[in-house]
Amino acid sequence: MDVSGHAFNSTFPILVEVIADAAFVALDFELSGIPPKSHKDPKAPRDRSSGKQSLQDRYEEYKLAAEKYHILQMGITCVGENTYKGEYVVRPYNFNLKPGVDKGMNITRDSTYSNDAMDFLEEHGFDREAARKSGIHYLSRAEEARERCLNAESQDRARYTDVEPNANDTKAWGLLKRLREEVNAWRTQKPVRSSFFLSARKPKPDYLNFAPIGYDGPPFPDQGLNNFQRLLVHQCIRKEYPDLVTFTQVGFVQIVAYDKDREDARKEYRARTFEERLAKQVGLRWLVEAIHGGDLSKINPDTFIRGAGAREPSVVSKFTELQKQLLGCSTVLVGHNVFMDLIYFYACFFGPLPSKVESFQLIMNRLFPRIIDTKYLATHHDPYLHSSELSNLDERLSRKANPKIVLHPSHPKYDSAKPLHEAGYDSYMTARVFLRLAVELEASAKHLEDLPTSIHQASSSPPEMGVLIDYHDVSANLQAAAAAAAADDSSSKSSSQPSSASILPHPTFSHPTKFDLLGDLSCEEIETLAMGVRAREPGLKAPDVHLGRRHAPRRLPAWESDFWKVFGNKLRVNGTVEEVCRLGEWPQ
């Protein structure tokens, strides 16, 4: 689903709800430029023994590029699980980012484009002009903080810098002289016939409109005060008449007596309108904050909830409930070859990048405690696997029937279209690859080789969404139990015997295992196997099998399982000494 800047506000509440219900979110970005491949330059810094860059060298290379270029397009795919149907429902979204900021903002932002990157994207259908016209605004956390500081300074009258007219500028000095005369006359209720709003016949003691002599009113603003003259009027009143305040109007400046209640109301109005304008400018970052589990309480529901019944208590209360639900609950992030993407991601939506890769690792782990790189999953046992590109993996894994993945009915775009290098579609591919690859790897039990003996020998109850087959406890008895259960039931259920066609093919990253016998068995057949294990080994801790719950190899391992201690929070960085960027321990 493409979401434009015009539709973002009305779509945002739906996005928040989808993210709150998602098991994970897959990310992808299209960039205005990427770093030059200096790691292939023989003159680039390298480790003497291996001839490779260090992780710090690669990070610095990406950091410089992220500070120069920016994200043009962001794709997310929110993946929810329908346990009743035993399927994963995916909702892909595609967002174009507006490169600049509104003219009414105090901050500015420069945009840089690489010709090579733009040529490549435009060859794949990217429309730069459409992004400029209908892209979504965004501000990083650092940009928002800077805007708030500049706005506070502009509201502080004591911080204004005075401007002194040139000594030879007789017109400016004459304007100030006349201003003082008119203000003094107005305050003593002795009007002077000079300004068009002030006359001897109808004095206006409650306000004074100051304009050039001969000004004929708003229909002729070009005859009114220019910017420099308005500045002189505001400055003079502020310095010399502290009991008066000024308002800029079309062609003139209105002067009135200071009123605390009115000024408090004006201050409140300015603060409210500033927050509304800023919330709209923050734009797409609110979505990132929702994924992160950040504070969305600053959002006024009126900013994003529009249409009939928008102010109904139930609608506002639902939005508030979602804000509370997301607060502090960071979503699992999934990306492909995501090390560089995360560097751009942080620079775009959070703030300046730290100088050391160790600091970056720590910051990202605090922001998103669970990050998964499908490149690392695919190359866990072979870092330089030649077919680990996203499209190649998606094509290979698309032949697998499990887990079942379906597009949500409201997201039909990618059901037939395959726009490679569109961020939304690439995030959709990433989600599919992740689901199929994780299930394949768990079925192979290959990850158990990388776990400490004390971990995989520990006896613990399987988590609710975890692995329902205890590989180590059941492995010695599974084949015998399966054979016995099949023999006991052969007379009445001969048709339910698994044929050779139903046995799963061996995964690419695994060796043949006894669990291949499970194939696509039904819930009842797996329950029969488990009962057989329990009957023959009363002391054995056999797993519980829940009808309608996960049955390996059809669902992801639970986030709390040992599987993610091996594969989680590890980013593949080929061509470096370390080969992997480790973000931190996988939280339990």
Side-chain angles (χ1 to χ4, degrees), residues 255-519:
I255 306 168
V256 298
Y258 175 82
D259 180 272
K260 186 178 185 305
D261 292 340
R262 184 193 63 228
E263 292 304 309
D264 288 345
R266 284 184 65 202
K267 186 176 181 180
E268 181 182 349
Y269 172 77
R270 286 196 300 265
R272 184 173 66 254
T273 54
F274 171 75
E275 290 297 334
E276 291 175 355
R277 183 165 51 88
L278 188 62
K280 291 179 181 179
Q281 188 68 43
V282 168
L284 195 61
R285 204 197 81 230
W286 288 125
L287 189 67
V288 175
E289 295 288 0
I291 297 171
H292 157 59
D295 185 8
L296 303 182
S297 62
K298 295 178 182 177
I299 297 179
N300 183 344
D302 285 336
T303 304
F304 294 103
I305 302 177
R306 301 292 182 188
R311 289 304 299 167
E312 289 292 329
S314 59
V315 176
V316 177
S317 119
K318 176 65 175 177
F319 191 64
T320 305
E321 179 186 335
L322 288 171
Q323 291 175 343
K324 293 178 180 177
Q325 180 181 340
L326 286 166
L327 184 61
C329 299
S330 180
T331 307
V332 177
L333 280 189
V334 178
H336 184 77
N337 203 14
V338 76
F339 178 61
M340 183 176 72
D341 281 353
L342 290 179
I343 293 173
Y344 276 80
F345 183 49
Y346 184 85
C348 181
F349 294 109
F350 294 96
L353 289 158
S355 58
K356 296 294 183 182
V357 68
E358 294 84 1
S359 299
F360 175 74
Q361 291 167 298
L362 180 63
I363 291 171
M364 288 307 301
N365 189 237
R366 287 177 178 173
L367 286 171
F368 300 96
R370 291 172 173 170
I371 297 177
I372 300 165
D373 182 6
T374 53
K375 178 90 169 181
Y376 182 80
L377 265 66
T379 61
H380 176 60
H381 295 291
D382 183 2
Y384 293 95
L385 184 70
H386 71 279
S387 60
S388 63
E389 289 186 3
L390 181 61
S391 57
N392 292 340
L393 288 170
D394 184 56
E395 182 179 359
R396 179 183 71 78
L397 293 166
S398 64
R399 295 187 289 270
K400 293 188 174 296
N402 290 316
K404 187 177 180 182
I405 304 170
V406 296
L407 273 168
H408 191 274
S410 63
H411 296 252
K413 177 179 178 181
Y414 301 140
D415 201 11
S416 55
K418 296 183 178 180
L420 290 174
H421 302 291
E422 179 175 284
Y425 181 72
D426 286 358
S427 74
Y428 170 54
M429 281 199 299
T430 300
R432 292 192 307 190
V433 165
F434 169 66
L435 285 166
R436 291 164 175 157
L437 194 54
V439 168
E440 178 184 81
L441 286 169
E442 187 199 26
S444 75
K446 198 78 171 177
H447 65 284
L448 297 176
E449 300 173 3
D450 297 311
L451 286 173
T453 305
S454 59
I455 293 180
H456 62 66
Q457 285 184 348
S459 176
S460 61
S461 299
E464 181 182 3
M465 293 182 63
V467 179
L468 300 182
I469 301 295
D470 189 326
Y471 294 109
H472 289 276
D473 288 343
V474 180
S475 60
N477 301 277
L478 180 60
Q479 286 181 319
D488 292 342
D489 204 34
S490 60
S491 59
S492 59
K493 292 188 177 181
S494 59
S495 62
S496 66
Q497 296 285 348
S499 66
S500 59
S502 68
I503 299 177
L504 289 176
H506 300 316
T508 302
F509 305 104
S510 70
H511 52 75
T513 72
K514 56 190 74 65
F515 302 102
D516 295 334
L517 294 172
L518 291 176

Side-chain angles (χ1 to χ4, degrees), residues 14-23 25 76 78 287 290-291 326 331:
I14 301 171
L15 288 166
V16 171
E17 186 170 9
V18 170
I19 290 169
D21 294 336
V25 173
I76 68 168
C78 302
L287 189 67
I291 297 171
L326 286 166
T331 307

